[in-house]
Amino acid sequence: MSEKGLEELRNKLDSIDNELLDLINKRMDIVHQVGVLKANSGGSIYRPERERAIIDRLDKINTGKLNRRAIEALFLEVFAISRNFELPENVAFLGPAGSFTHQAAETRFGAMSSYLPIASIKGVFREVYTKKAKFGVIPIENSSNGIVSDTINCLTKYDLKIIAEVILDIHHTLATTCDKVKDIKKIYSKDIAFEQCRKFLENVGLDEVELIPVESTTKAVQYALKEKGSAAICSHVGAKMYNLPILFENIEDKDNNRTRFFIVSDFENARSGKDKTSVLVKLPNKSGALVEFLTDFNEAKINLTKIKSHIVEGDSIFFIDFDGHKDDEHIQKIFTKHKDSIKFLGSYVKEADDI
Ligand SMILES: C=C(O[C@@H]1C=C(C(=O)O)C=C[C@H]1O)C(=O)O
Protein backbone atom coordinates (compact mmCIF):
# COMPACT_ATOMS: atom_id res chain seq x y z
CA MET A 1 0.00 0.00 0.00
CA SER A 2 1.21 3.50 -0.82
CA GLU A 3 2.10 5.91 1.97
CA LYS A 4 -0.64 8.20 0.67
CA GLY A 5 -3.30 5.47 0.82
CA LEU A 6 -2.35 4.68 4.42
CA GLU A 7 -2.46 8.30 5.41
CA GLU A 8 -5.93 8.72 3.89
CA LEU A 9 -7.28 5.74 5.82
CA ARG A 10 -5.70 6.99 9.03
CA ASN A 11 -7.27 10.39 8.53
CA LYS A 12 -10.67 8.69 8.16
CA LEU A 13 -10.07 6.75 11.41
CA ASP A 14 -9.07 9.96 13.18
CA SER A 15 -12.26 11.70 12.22
CA ILE A 16 -14.38 8.68 13.27
CA ASP A 17 -12.55 8.65 16.62
CA ASN A 18 -13.31 12.34 17.05
CA GLU A 19 -16.99 11.65 16.49
CA LEU A 20 -16.93 8.66 18.86
CA LEU A 21 -15.27 10.75 21.57
CA ASP A 22 -17.82 13.49 21.14
CA LEU A 23 -20.74 11.02 21.23
CA ILE A 24 -19.44 9.19 24.28
CA ASN A 25 -19.02 12.50 26.11
CA LYS A 26 -22.57 13.47 25.15
CA ARG A 27 -23.74 10.06 26.41
CA MET A 28 -21.94 10.66 29.72
CA ASP A 29 -23.85 13.94 30.15
CA ILE A 30 -27.15 12.09 29.83
CA VAL A 31 -26.01 9.36 32.25
CA HIS A 32 -25.17 12.17 34.66
CA GLN A 33 -28.76 13.46 34.41
CA VAL A 34 -30.06 9.93 35.08
CA GLY A 35 -27.65 9.75 38.02
CA VAL A 36 -29.05 12.98 39.52
CA LEU A 37 -32.61 11.63 39.23
CA LYS A 38 -31.57 8.37 40.87
CA ALA A 39 -29.74 10.20 43.65
CA ASN A 40 -32.87 12.24 44.37
CA SER A 41 -35.06 9.15 44.51
CA GLY A 42 -32.51 7.05 46.41
CA GLY A 43 -32.29 4.49 43.58
CA SER A 44 -29.19 2.47 42.76
CA ILE A 45 -26.93 3.75 39.97
CA TYR A 46 -26.26 0.24 38.69
CA ARG A 47 -29.24 -1.30 36.88
CA PRO A 48 -28.16 -4.63 35.37
CA GLU A 49 -31.59 -5.26 33.83
CA ARG A 50 -31.46 -1.91 31.97
CA GLU A 51 -27.94 -2.64 30.69
CA ARG A 52 -29.12 -6.04 29.44
CA ALA A 53 -32.04 -4.39 27.63
CA ILE A 54 -29.69 -1.93 25.88
CA ILE A 55 -27.40 -4.76 24.69
CA ASP A 56 -30.37 -6.84 23.51
CA ARG A 57 -31.71 -3.87 21.56
CA LEU A 58 -28.34 -3.04 19.94
CA ASP A 59 -27.78 -6.69 19.04
CA LYS A 60 -31.19 -6.80 17.37
CA ILE A 61 -30.73 -3.69 15.22
CA ASN A 62 -27.08 -4.41 14.42
CA THR A 63 -26.32 -4.87 10.71
CA GLY A 64 -22.55 -4.35 10.85
CA LYS A 65 -19.56 -6.61 11.48
CA LEU A 66 -19.77 -6.59 15.28
CA ASN A 67 -21.23 -9.73 16.88
CA ARG A 68 -23.08 -9.90 20.20
CA ARG A 69 -19.91 -10.65 22.19
CA ALA A 70 -18.18 -7.62 20.75
CA ILE A 71 -21.19 -5.36 21.35
CA GLU A 72 -21.37 -6.64 24.91
CA ALA A 73 -17.64 -6.14 25.57
CA LEU A 74 -17.70 -2.58 24.22
CA PHE A 75 -20.89 -1.41 25.84
CA LEU A 76 -20.42 -3.07 29.24
CA GLU A 77 -17.18 -1.11 29.49
CA VAL A 78 -18.96 2.12 28.46
CA PHE A 79 -21.68 1.50 31.10
CA ALA A 80 -19.07 0.72 33.78
CA ILE A 81 -17.10 3.88 33.01
CA SER A 82 -20.30 5.98 33.06
CA ARG A 83 -21.35 4.59 36.43
CA ASN A 84 -17.89 5.03 37.82
CA PHE A 85 -17.82 8.69 36.82
CA GLU A 86 -21.23 9.20 38.28
CA LEU A 87 -20.59 7.53 41.58
CA PRO A 88 -17.32 5.66 42.23
CA GLU A 89 -18.28 2.54 44.21
CA ASN A 90 -16.02 -0.14 45.63
CA VAL A 91 -16.24 -3.70 44.38
CA ALA A 92 -15.09 -6.38 46.85
CA PHE A 93 -14.21 -9.75 45.35
CA LEU A 94 -12.72 -13.06 46.49
CA GLY A 95 -9.06 -12.31 45.83
CA PRO A 96 -6.23 -12.08 45.33
CA ALA A 97 -5.94 -9.90 42.22
CA GLY A 98 -5.94 -12.06 39.09
CA SER A 99 -8.32 -14.68 40.56
CA PHE A 100 -11.17 -16.03 38.44
CA THR A 101 -13.55 -14.05 40.67
CA HIS A 102 -11.59 -10.90 39.77
CA GLN A 103 -12.11 -11.72 36.09
CA ALA A 104 -15.83 -12.25 36.72
CA ALA A 105 -16.00 -8.87 38.49
CA GLU A 106 -14.25 -7.11 35.60
CA THR A 107 -16.87 -8.34 33.12
CA ARG A 108 -19.43 -6.08 34.90
CA PHE A 109 -17.39 -3.37 36.55
CA GLY A 110 -14.78 -2.81 33.83
CA ALA A 111 -11.24 -1.57 34.03
CA MET A 112 -11.83 1.67 35.94
CA SER A 113 -13.65 0.55 39.09
CA SER A 114 -12.01 0.43 42.46
CA TYR A 115 -11.54 -3.21 43.40
CA LEU A 116 -10.93 -4.63 46.87
CA PRO A 117 -9.41 -8.12 46.87
CA ILE A 118 -10.65 -9.91 50.03
CA ALA A 119 -9.18 -13.17 51.33
CA SER A 120 -12.44 -14.99 52.20
CA ILE A 121 -16.03 -15.25 50.99
CA LYS A 122 -17.24 -14.22 54.44
CA GLY A 123 -14.93 -11.19 54.24
CA VAL A 124 -16.53 -10.15 50.92
CA PHE A 125 -20.03 -10.33 52.46
CA ARG A 126 -18.80 -8.33 55.45
CA GLU A 127 -17.36 -5.57 53.24
CA VAL A 128 -20.73 -5.12 51.50
CA TYR A 129 -22.79 -5.50 54.67
CA THR A 130 -20.75 -2.82 56.43
CA LYS A 131 -20.98 -0.59 53.31
CA LYS A 132 -17.23 -0.50 52.70
CA ALA A 133 -18.09 -1.86 49.27
CA LYS A 134 -21.28 -1.42 47.27
CA PHE A 135 -20.83 -4.76 45.46
CA GLY A 136 -19.42 -8.15 46.38
CA VAL A 137 -18.43 -10.84 43.87
CA ILE A 138 -18.12 -14.48 44.97
CA PRO A 139 -18.28 -17.93 43.32
CA ILE A 140 -21.46 -19.97 43.91
CA GLU A 141 -20.76 -23.17 41.97
CA ASN A 142 -18.46 -24.92 39.52
CA SER A 143 -19.62 -27.47 36.95
CA SER A 144 -17.07 -30.05 38.18
CA ASN A 145 -17.00 -29.32 41.92
CA GLY A 146 -20.56 -28.28 42.76
CA ILE A 147 -21.86 -25.67 45.19
CA VAL A 148 -19.51 -23.45 47.23
CA SER A 149 -20.61 -24.04 50.85
CA ASP A 150 -19.15 -20.79 52.22
CA THR A 151 -21.31 -18.78 49.83
CA ILE A 152 -24.49 -20.63 50.82
CA ASN A 153 -23.63 -20.13 54.51
CA CYS A 154 -23.13 -16.40 53.99
CA LEU A 155 -26.34 -16.09 51.96
CA THR A 156 -28.23 -17.58 54.92
CA LYS A 157 -26.62 -15.18 57.42
CA TYR A 158 -26.32 -11.82 55.66
CA ASP A 159 -29.24 -9.82 54.42
CA LEU A 160 -27.79 -8.93 51.02
CA LYS A 161 -29.38 -9.42 47.62
CA ILE A 162 -28.07 -11.23 44.55
CA ILE A 163 -28.25 -8.62 41.77
CA ALA A 164 -26.48 -10.52 38.96
CA GLU A 165 -24.99 -13.84 37.95
CA VAL A 166 -21.82 -14.13 35.86
CA ILE A 167 -20.82 -17.37 34.17
CA LEU A 168 -17.20 -17.86 33.14
CA ASP A 169 -15.51 -20.64 31.20
CA ILE A 170 -12.66 -21.73 33.44
CA HIS A 171 -9.41 -22.56 31.70
CA HIS A 172 -6.29 -23.58 33.59
CA THR A 173 -2.67 -23.38 32.50
CA LEU A 174 0.47 -25.09 33.78
CA ALA A 175 3.01 -22.36 34.36
CA THR A 176 6.60 -22.85 35.48
CA THR A 177 10.16 -21.61 35.12
CA CYS A 178 11.19 -25.20 34.23
CA ASP A 179 11.89 -25.83 30.54
CA LYS A 180 10.89 -29.49 30.66
CA VAL A 181 8.03 -31.36 32.33
CA LYS A 182 10.45 -33.85 33.90
CA ASP A 183 12.14 -31.05 35.88
CA ILE A 184 8.89 -30.29 37.75
CA LYS A 185 9.00 -31.86 41.22
CA LYS A 186 6.01 -30.14 42.86
CA ILE A 187 2.90 -28.27 41.77
CA TYR A 188 1.06 -25.56 43.65
CA SER A 189 -2.61 -24.78 43.12
CA LYS A 190 -6.04 -24.52 44.71
CA ASP A 191 -7.42 -27.93 45.74
CA ILE A 192 -10.33 -27.86 43.29
CA ALA A 193 -8.04 -26.93 40.38
CA PHE A 194 -6.03 -30.15 40.94
CA GLU A 195 -9.27 -32.12 40.74
CA GLN A 196 -10.21 -30.40 37.50
CA CYS A 197 -6.89 -31.33 35.83
CA ARG A 198 -6.34 -34.94 37.03
CA LYS A 199 -6.31 -36.57 33.59
CA PHE A 200 -3.93 -33.97 32.19
CA LEU A 201 -1.47 -34.56 35.06
CA GLU A 202 -1.65 -38.31 34.40
CA ASN A 203 -1.17 -37.89 30.65
CA VAL A 204 2.00 -35.81 30.98
CA GLY A 205 3.42 -37.98 33.79
CA LEU A 206 2.92 -35.46 36.61
CA ASP A 207 0.52 -37.54 38.71
CA GLU A 208 3.29 -38.75 41.00
CA VAL A 209 4.80 -35.35 41.85
CA GLU A 210 3.91 -33.55 45.06
CA LEU A 211 0.65 -31.55 44.74
CA ILE A 212 0.53 -28.71 47.25
CA PRO A 213 -2.84 -27.05 47.84
CA VAL A 214 -2.68 -23.31 48.59
CA GLU A 215 -5.37 -20.60 49.16
CA SER A 216 -5.60 -19.44 45.55
CA THR A 217 -4.20 -20.06 42.09
CA THR A 218 -2.55 -16.60 42.22
CA LYS A 219 -0.71 -17.60 45.43
CA ALA A 220 0.36 -20.75 43.54
CA VAL A 221 1.97 -18.55 40.86
CA GLN A 222 3.87 -16.59 43.50
CA TYR A 223 5.26 -19.82 45.07
CA ALA A 224 6.15 -21.35 41.69
CA LEU A 225 7.97 -18.20 40.69
CA LYS A 226 10.23 -18.32 43.77
CA GLU A 227 10.95 -22.04 43.93
CA LYS A 228 13.09 -23.88 41.35
CA GLY A 229 11.62 -27.18 40.14
CA SER A 230 8.03 -26.18 40.92
CA ALA A 231 4.98 -25.24 38.82
CA ALA A 232 1.53 -23.71 39.27
CA ILE A 233 -1.87 -24.65 37.94
CA CYS A 234 -3.41 -21.22 37.46
CA SER A 235 -5.32 -18.95 35.13
CA HIS A 236 -3.74 -17.48 32.00
CA VAL A 237 -4.26 -14.00 33.52
CA GLY A 238 -2.56 -15.03 36.80
CA ALA A 239 0.52 -16.43 35.04
CA LYS A 240 0.83 -13.35 32.81
CA MET A 241 0.42 -11.00 35.75
CA TYR A 242 3.58 -12.37 37.36
CA ASN A 243 5.43 -13.25 34.13
CA LEU A 244 5.52 -16.95 34.94
CA PRO A 245 6.06 -18.80 31.62
CA ILE A 246 3.12 -20.93 30.48
CA LEU A 247 4.06 -24.48 29.46
CA PHE A 248 0.54 -25.80 28.67
CA GLU A 249 -2.76 -23.98 28.09
CA ASN A 250 -6.32 -25.28 28.66
CA ILE A 251 -5.27 -28.26 30.77
CA GLU A 252 -8.70 -28.83 32.40
CA ASP A 253 -10.12 -32.32 31.79
CA LYS A 254 -13.62 -31.21 30.80
CA ASP A 255 -14.04 -28.76 27.97
CA ASN A 256 -17.15 -27.30 29.64
CA ASN A 257 -15.54 -26.38 32.95
CA ARG A 258 -17.59 -23.39 34.07
CA THR A 259 -18.00 -21.38 37.24
CA ARG A 260 -21.01 -19.32 38.20
CA PHE A 261 -20.50 -16.21 40.31
CA PHE A 262 -22.97 -13.98 42.15
CA ILE A 263 -22.79 -10.22 42.54
CA VAL A 264 -24.38 -9.19 45.84
CA SER A 265 -25.41 -5.71 46.94
CA ASP A 266 -27.96 -3.88 49.10
CA PHE A 267 -30.75 -3.34 46.57
CA GLU A 268 -33.25 -5.32 44.50
CA ASN A 269 -33.49 -5.31 40.70
CA ALA A 270 -36.58 -4.35 38.74
CA ARG A 271 -37.92 -6.89 36.21
CA SER A 272 -36.00 -7.43 32.98
CA GLY A 273 -38.44 -9.87 31.37
CA LYS A 274 -35.79 -12.61 31.35
CA ASP A 275 -35.14 -13.13 35.06
CA LYS A 276 -34.10 -15.88 37.38
CA THR A 277 -34.82 -15.93 41.12
CA SER A 278 -32.83 -17.65 43.87
CA VAL A 279 -34.21 -18.65 47.26
CA LEU A 280 -33.18 -20.65 50.30
CA VAL A 281 -35.89 -22.90 51.67
CA LYS A 282 -36.12 -24.48 55.10
CA LEU A 283 -39.14 -26.74 55.20
CA PRO A 284 -41.00 -27.89 58.30
CA ASN A 285 -39.81 -31.28 59.53
CA LYS A 286 -42.91 -33.28 58.49
CA SER A 287 -43.59 -35.87 55.84
CA GLY A 288 -44.55 -34.61 52.40
CA ALA A 289 -43.32 -31.04 53.03
CA LEU A 290 -40.99 -31.00 50.01
CA VAL A 291 -43.56 -32.64 47.73
CA GLU A 292 -46.21 -30.07 48.72
CA PHE A 293 -43.77 -27.21 48.17
CA LEU A 294 -42.69 -28.45 44.74
CA THR A 295 -46.26 -29.19 43.73
CA ASP A 296 -47.09 -25.51 44.24
CA PHE A 297 -44.28 -24.59 41.83
CA ASN A 298 -45.50 -27.18 39.36
CA GLU A 299 -49.09 -25.92 39.52
CA ALA A 300 -47.94 -22.33 39.04
CA LYS A 301 -45.98 -23.57 35.95
CA ILE A 302 -42.71 -22.21 37.32
CA ASN A 303 -39.63 -23.75 35.73
CA LEU A 304 -37.10 -24.80 38.40
CA THR A 305 -33.57 -24.60 37.02
CA LYS A 306 -31.78 -25.85 40.13
CA ILE A 307 -32.48 -27.50 43.46
CA LYS A 308 -29.64 -28.47 45.78
CA SER A 309 -29.85 -29.59 49.37
CA HIS A 310 -27.34 -28.26 51.83
CA ILE A 311 -26.63 -28.52 55.55
CA VAL A 312 -26.21 -25.24 57.46
CA GLU A 313 -25.47 -25.58 61.18
CA GLY A 314 -27.13 -28.99 61.30
CA ASP A 315 -30.29 -27.89 59.44
CA SER A 316 -31.15 -29.20 56.00
CA ILE A 317 -31.97 -26.39 53.56
CA PHE A 318 -32.59 -26.19 49.83
CA PHE A 319 -31.00 -23.74 47.43
CA ILE A 320 -33.45 -23.25 44.57
CA ASP A 321 -33.28 -21.27 41.30
CA PHE A 322 -36.30 -20.76 39.08
CA ASP A 323 -37.39 -18.68 36.10
CA GLY A 324 -39.17 -15.41 36.78
CA HIS A 325 -39.05 -12.33 39.01
CA LYS A 326 -40.15 -11.94 42.62
CA ASP A 327 -42.78 -9.37 41.54
CA ASP A 328 -44.44 -11.76 39.04
CA GLU A 329 -47.93 -12.51 40.30
CA HIS A 330 -47.66 -16.32 40.23
CA ILE A 331 -44.38 -16.13 42.17
CA GLN A 332 -45.77 -13.65 44.70
CA LYS A 333 -48.52 -16.19 45.54
CA ILE A 334 -45.96 -18.87 46.39
CA PHE A 335 -43.87 -16.42 48.42
CA THR A 336 -46.95 -15.45 50.43
CA LYS A 337 -48.04 -19.03 51.04
CA HIS A 338 -44.56 -20.21 52.10
CA LYS A 339 -43.33 -16.99 53.73
CA ASP A 340 -42.10 -18.83 56.84
CA SER A 341 -39.98 -21.27 54.82
CA ILE A 342 -38.51 -19.05 52.07
CA LYS A 343 -35.60 -16.65 52.27
CA PHE A 344 -35.60 -14.54 49.09
CA LEU A 345 -32.05 -14.07 47.79
CA GLY A 346 -32.62 -12.04 44.65
CA SER A 347 -34.14 -11.76 41.15
CA TYR A 348 -31.64 -10.98 38.43
CA VAL A 349 -31.06 -11.20 34.68
CA LYS A 350 -30.73 -14.86 33.67
CA GLU A 351 -27.42 -15.52 31.88
CA ALA A 352 -28.01 -19.27 31.40
CA ASP A 353 -30.39 -22.01 32.62
CA ASP A 354 -27.59 -23.74 34.44
CA ILE A 355 -23.83 -24.23 34.19
C1 LIG B 1 -27.99 5.45 32.78
C2 LIG B 1 -28.43 4.55 33.65
O1 LIG B 1 -27.64 4.07 34.71
C3 LIG B 1 -26.63 3.10 34.59
C4 LIG B 1 -25.86 3.30 33.36
C5 LIG B 1 -26.34 2.83 32.17
C6 LIG B 1 -25.80 3.31 30.86
O2 LIG B 1 -24.68 3.81 30.81
O3 LIG B 1 -26.55 3.21 29.86
C7 LIG B 1 -27.39 1.88 32.18
C8 LIG B 1 -27.90 1.38 33.34
C9 LIG B 1 -27.33 1.74 34.65
O4 LIG B 1 -26.45 0.74 35.10
C10 LIG B 1 -29.83 4.06 33.55
O5 LIG B 1 -30.35 3.44 34.48
O6 LIG B 1 -30.48 4.30 32.51
Side-chain angles (χ1 to χ4, degrees):
M1 172 180 270
S2 70
E3 272 302 307
K4 191 155 172 293
L6 183 62
E7 200 184 309
E8 236 169 65
L9 291 175
R10 284 185 171 162
N11 286 341
K12 278 189 187 161
L13 284 178
D14 285 348
S15 77
I16 291 176
D17 289 343
N18 294 352
E19 276 179 61
L20 274 175
L21 183 68
D22 188 42
L23 284 173
I24 292 172
N25 275 319
K26 278 194 185 127
R27 193 184 191 287
M28 294 281 177
D29 289 340
I30 311 280
V31 173
H32 170 70
Q33 293 172 37
V34 175
V36 171
L37 287 180
K38 285 182 182 169
N40 290 338
S41 66
S44 161
I45 291 280
Y46 184 31
R47 298 289 299 273
E49 78 285 2
R50 164 75 181 141
E51 296 189 1
R52 171 66 44 202
I54 298 174
I55 288 167
D56 285 347
R57 189 180 61 77
L58 293 176
D59 184 35
K60 220 167 168 182
I61 60 157
N62 175 41
T63 52
K65 276 212 176 75
L66 292 179
N67 59 20
R68 188 182 171 98
R69 266 190 74 201
I71 293 173
E72 205 168 46
L74 272 171
F75 278 85
L76 284 180
E77 193 62 49
V78 171
F79 301 150
I81 291 172
S82 315
R83 278 188 266 122
N84 207 56
F85 264 121
E86 215 28 56
L87 181 67
E89 289 173 317
N90 289 338
V91 180
F93 66 93
L94 180 64
S99 64
F100 287 110
T101 313
H102 191 184
Q103 292 171 43
E106 283 195 331
T107 65
R108 299 309 160 88
F109 299 103
M112 276 186 61
S113 289
S114 123
Y115 290 101
L116 307 174
I118 305 291
S120 68
I121 287 174
K122 196 169 176 196
V124 173
F125 274 81
R126 215 181 293 126
E127 289 299 286
V128 184
Y129 189 71
T130 56
K131 312 243 180 255
K132 288 195 196 97
K134 176 75 176 176
F135 304 102
V137 188
I138 62 273
I140 173 69
E141 58 180 323
N142 172 271
S143 52
S144 312
N145 304 88
I147 290 272
V148 180
S149 304
D150 282 355
T151 297
I152 296 281
N153 291 342
C154 288
L155 287 168
T156 59
K157 288 198 189 98
Y158 289 88
D159 212 10
L160 296 176
K161 291 288 172 286
I162 302 164
I163 58 138
E165 66 174 351
V166 177
I167 294 166
L168 276 195
D169 284 327
I170 301 295
H171 298 296
H172 295 298
T173 66
L174 186 79
T176 174
T177 52
C178 299
D179 293 328
K180 296 191 195 87
V181 170
K182 69 172 179 35
D183 298 335
I184 299 171
K185 302 292 173 233
K186 52 170 85 160
I187 307 175
Y188 292 99
S189 195
K190 207 168 152 60
D191 49 359
I192 61 168
F194 287 128
E195 281 167 42
Q196 293 167 11
C197 304
R198 280 220 175 277
K199 276 199 209 112
F200 164 82
L201 293 175
E202 225 175 274
N203 292 345
V204 293
L206 283 172
D207 47 333
E208 298 288 309
V209 307
E210 194 183 354
L211 303 180
I212 306 167
V214 290
E215 311 91 276
S216 68
T217 53
T218 319
K219 261 274 148 61
V221 175
Q222 291 166 353
Y223 287 124
L225 199 59
K226 278 196 213 125
E227 201 176 323
K228 256 184 105 189
S230 73
I233 293 179
C234 57
S235 71
H236 183 98
V237 173
K240 290 277 168 206
M241 209 158 137
Y242 292 92
N243 284 325
L244 186 65
I246 294 173
L247 206 54
F248 296 98
E249 295 262 15
N250 299 344
I251 63 168
E252 62 282 353
D253 297 334
K254 287 193 185 151
D255 51 15
N256 59 347
N257 187 26
R258 303 174 96 194
T259 298
R260 178 181 178 213
F261 300 86
F262 279 153
I263 303 177
V264 291
S265 190
D266 58 0
F267 65 94
E268 290 178 19
N269 292 318
R271 274 201 197 100
S272 78
K274 192 191 156 216
D275 296 299
K276 197 194 258 185
T277 294
S278 297
V279 292
L280 287 173
V281 179
K282 192 171 156 217
L283 291 167
N285 188 13
K286 63 171 195 199
S287 68
L290 180 61
V291 173
E292 189 198 329
F293 185 78
L294 293 179
T295 304
D296 286 340
F297 273 80
N298 186 35
E299 281 172 0
K301 296 199 168 39
I302 297 170
N303 182 33
L304 294 192
T305 53
K306 178 169 302 287
I307 171 161
K308 292 258 179 188
S309 75
H310 194 82
I311 307 286
V312 176
E313 286 168 2
D315 283 329
S316 178
I317 58 164
F318 293 95
F319 171 73
I320 301 180
D321 286 338
F322 51 89
D323 285 341
H325 190 281
K326 175 188 171 225
D327 295 341
D328 296 347
E329 207 181 311
H330 60 311
I331 293 172
Q332 267 302 318
K333 274 192 197 142
I334 290 189
F335 275 26
T336 310
K337 178 169 174 192
H338 295 280
K339 64 179 185 321
D340 296 333
S341 311
I342 292 181
K343 180 178 183 201
F344 168 66
L345 299 177
S347 294
Y348 47 89
V349 174
K350 171 165 132 176
E351 295 298 331
D353 271 334
D354 203 355
I355 55 170

